[in-house]
């Protein structure tokens, strides 16, 4: 029953991420860690790579490669710092960090910051994307902030390409730190069909799912789940 619920959450996250450019980790992680902490972060990063690769290929003509590589460079030290933090804090510390990262992502999403998508900002955003993406599977908001005023296909293309490459870097870091286990691969196998279904639905509905409609609902939902996770971690 809980595994079916987890797969449904994954499909919904993949649908939203395919349609608007990010959201899989933001939607899935706060709920999945309440079901089973081993469902995050490695299995989410694995399925995200699949979804992001499909989306990036579909929108490959819109990818801005020179700026993208600056974000990738910035992600490397962020990933190293995240692996160190994960090794030092344990699962309860990761829970608290995930809850804080979700709430920070919500705040960032609500701020009307006009950050230009130049190389310097890509470098900075890449660092924080690596930090959050590796430790919590929620690396979208820092990069999404740079593209919030760009055309929809440009957003989907560059966020997908950025996170696809970034997820490989994060997985390498997690594997080095011992955070990719046999159970991680097992959950990846369970979640993969749901990811593919959600991605297919996202491709079919992306022109109907407007960020102005889906974004407030996602932020409210995730805020509630983050507060619940934070309270649970603090009580324990």
């Amino acid at each position: 029953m809980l595994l079916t619920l987890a797969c449904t959450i994954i499909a919904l996250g993949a649908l939203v991420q395919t349609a608007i450019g990010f959201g899989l980790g933001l939607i899935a992680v706060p709920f999945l860690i309440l079901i089973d902490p081993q469902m995050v972060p490695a299995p989410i990063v694995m399925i995200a790579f699949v979804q992001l690769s499909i989306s990036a290929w579909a929108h490959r003509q819109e990818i801005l490669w020179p700026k993208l590589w600056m974000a990738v460079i910035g992600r490397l030290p962020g990933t190293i710092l995240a692996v160190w933090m994960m090794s030092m804090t344990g699962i309860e510390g990761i829970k608290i960090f995930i809850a804080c990262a979700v709430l920070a992502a919500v705040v960032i999403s609500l701020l009307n910051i006009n950050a230009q998508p130049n190389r310097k900002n890509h470098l900075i955003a890449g660092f924080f994307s690596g930090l959050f993406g590796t430790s919590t599977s929620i690396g979208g908001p820092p990069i999404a902030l740079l593209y919030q005023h760009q055309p929809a296909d440009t957003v989907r293309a560059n966020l997908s390409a950025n996170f696809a490459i970034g997820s490989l870097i994060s997985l390498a870091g997690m594997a080095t730190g011992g955070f990719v286990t046999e159970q991680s691969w097992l959950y990846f196998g369970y979640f993969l069909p749901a990811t593919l279904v959600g991605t297919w639905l996202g491709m079919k509905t992306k022109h109907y799912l407007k960020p102005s409609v889906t974004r407030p609902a996602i932020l409210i939902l995730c805020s509630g789940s983050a507060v619940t996770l934070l309270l649970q971690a603090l009580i324990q």
Side-chain angles (χ1 to χ4, degrees), residues 13 53 69 105 120-121 140 143 150 171 183 187 189 191 193 201-202 216 226:
S53 297
W69 290 119
K120 175 186 175 182
N121 286 339
I143 299 293
Q150 303 299 312
L171 278 173
Q183 188 64 44
Y187 276 134
F191 293 159
L201 289 173

Side-chain angles (χ1 to χ4, degrees), residues 100 103-104 124 153 155 167 195 228 231:
C100 293
L103 293 175
I124 297 171
D153 281 343
V155 174
S167 63
T195 303
T228 301
L231 290 174

Side-chain angles (χ1 to χ4, degrees), residues 18-230:
T18 302
I20 67 175
F22 77 103
L24 195 160
L26 191 59
I27 291 172
V29 169
F31 294 101
L32 296 186
I33 197 171
L34 293 173
I35 297 174
D36 184 354
Q38 293 187 82
M39 290 181 175
V40 299
I44 303 302
V45 177
M46 291 174 180
I47 61 167
F49 171 73
V50 175
Q51 184 278 326
L52 292 163
S53 297
I54 295 171
S55 183
W57 178 258
H59 303 96
R60 59 190 180 279
Q61 301 300 329
E62 302 292 331
I63 298 175
L64 305 174
W65 288 107
K67 295 177 180 178
L68 174 67
W69 290 119
M70 293 303 294
V72 172
I73 293 171
R75 191 179 183 101
L76 292 171
T79 298
I80 294 171
L81 178 60
V83 172
W84 177 80
M85 291 174 63
M86 291 167 68
S87 65
M88 298 300 293
T89 60
I91 186 61
E92 294 306 319
I94 292 173
K95 282 184 178 181
I96 293 173
F97 193 57
I98 286 175
C100 293
V102 171
L103 293 175
V106 171
V107 171
I108 290 172
S109 299
L110 290 174
L111 295 176
N112 188 26
I113 300 175
N114 188 20
Q116 296 299 315
N118 55 40
R119 294 190 178 191
K120 175 186 175 182
N121 286 339
H122 271 81
L123 189 68
I124 297 171
F127 171 81
F128 287 103
S129 183
L131 177 62
F132 293 149
T134 303
S135 57
T136 70
S137 311
I138 305 170
I143 299 293
L145 191 64
L146 301 180
Y147 288 93
Q148 62 179 333
H149 300 299
Q150 303 299 312
D153 281 343
T154 301
V155 174
R156 296 185 189 104
N158 288 277
L159 294 188
S160 297
N162 190 301
F163 300 145
I165 297 171
S167 63
L168 289 179
I169 296 173
S170 294
L171 278 173
M174 283 188 278
T176 302
F179 295 102
V180 179
T181 65
E182 183 178 342
Q183 188 64 44
S184 300
W185 287 105
L186 188 60
Y187 276 134
F188 168 70
Y190 288 143
F191 293 159
L192 183 58
T195 303
L196 296 175
V197 170
T199 302
W200 180 80
L201 289 173
M203 289 290 187
K204 296 295 183 181
T205 60
K206 65 182 181 180
H207 297 298
Y208 302 100
L209 291 176
K210 303 298 182 183
S212 59
V213 177
T214 57
R215 196 169 162 224
I218 292 172
L219 296 181
I220 293 170
L221 190 67
C222 293
S223 296
S225 64
V227 170
T228 301
L229 179 61
L230 185 60

